[in-house]
Amino acid sequence: MNLARRASAEFTGTGLLVTAVIGSGIAATRLSPGQAGLQLLENAIATGLALAALILTFGPVSGAHFNPIVSAVDWWLGRRSRTGPTGRDLLAYALAQTAGAIGGAVLANLMFGLPAASRATTVRSGSNLWLAETIATAGLVLLIVALARTGRTATAPAAVGAYIGAAYWWTSSTSFANPAVTIGRMFSDTFAGIAPASAPLFLAAQLAGGLLACAAIAWWYPGPAPAAADVVVPQAQQKAAPR
């Protein structure tokens, strides 16, 4: 798979993930007004299921990272053995994921009859939320790499979807755990939005979670890094067309 094709899959997959997050949040508030717990449950279930489906769809093309932290950790762990993505791959993935997330927010807004882009006003601030984002991101990355290093990547769609769906509930931040998704959610003043002023410390916490995951992986899962094509799920190997 050439880089342009893989990056386009990351763009589309991340975009549709954010569409699912924001769209299900809007639907939940309209269908269950005044019932915050039910709204969160609806949002969490839709997001977890959508993420699993998107990993199945785009995993064979790009690995289905949909997350700059996942891509960065993949690069870091494979840099010495040259089994991870190159710096060029990492930059292309991160840009595609971030642009896709913004596009996904616009798509969700339009589908529900809202302005294409609006500045989110939901303030999400506090040391408890930053701690939650650190732990949520570390757990997500640890899960993904643990599956790759133990040959269980076939379970990744269900496992990652279940993790994110559950983390909506056991983290006080509702587990953004993804810088691209965090940026995308700034463009929708809805249930799933995050005020731009709150985003920088969420991003810092997610980066800290990625670093914590790297330390945990080195301790619990030492050994050769998986090939970049195996994180999150193995990419398909295309045969060259006959000449």
Side-chain angles (χ1 to χ4, degrees):
M1 295 288 182
N2 62 44
L3 180 56
R5 185 173 296 173
R6 288 184 282 122
S8 70
E10 288 295 301
F11 172 88
T12 306
T14 310
L16 291 176
L17 173 59
V18 173
T19 299
V21 172
I22 294 176
S24 62
I26 297 171
T29 57
R30 293 182 179 181
L31 294 171
S32 307
Q35 302 182 60
L38 183 56
Q39 291 169 3
L40 184 63
L41 178 62
E42 293 162 348
N43 192 203
I45 291 173
T47 299
L49 292 175
L51 179 55
L54 290 169
I55 292 172
L56 287 170
T57 302
F58 294 105
V61 183
S62 67
H65 292 186
F66 309 152
N67 188 330
I69 295 294
V70 172
S71 298
V73 169
D74 191 17
W75 167 78
W76 175 258
L77 295 177
R79 72 196 188 285
R80 291 181 180 174
S81 59
R82 297 183 179 179
T83 57
T86 65
R88 178 169 171 262
D89 292 342
L90 174 59
L91 177 61
Y93 269 38
L95 291 175
Q97 291 155 355
T98 303
I102 296 171
V106 170
L107 178 58
N109 290 336
L110 291 174
M111 286 198 303
F112 284 89
L114 300 174
S118 56
R119 185 175 182 270
T121 57
T122 303
V123 175
R124 301 177 189 267
S125 182
S127 58
N128 60 317
L129 301 185
W130 306 328
L131 174 61
E133 277 302 288
T134 301
I135 299 303
T137 307
L140 174 63
V141 174
L142 177 61
L143 169 64
I144 290 168
V145 176
L147 294 176
R149 289 199 169 182
T150 56
R152 295 177 294 159
T153 52
T155 65
V160 174
Y163 177 89
I164 291 298
Y168 262 74
W169 288 88
W170 63 260
T171 65
S172 58
S173 65
T174 66
S175 183
F176 286 45
N178 185 327
V181 169
T182 302
I183 292 171
R185 289 168 71 163
M186 296 186 331
F187 291 83
S188 183
D189 189 19
T190 58
F191 179 81
I194 178 173
S198 299
L201 287 174
F202 261 57
L203 299 177
Q206 291 156 2
L207 176 59
L211 295 173
L212 179 60
C214 286
I217 291 162
W219 180 248
W220 287 326
Y221 293 96
D230 292 335
V231 178
V232 174
V233 296
Q235 296 174 30
Q237 299 296 320
Q238 290 190 338
K239 294 180 180 181
R243 296 184 178 181

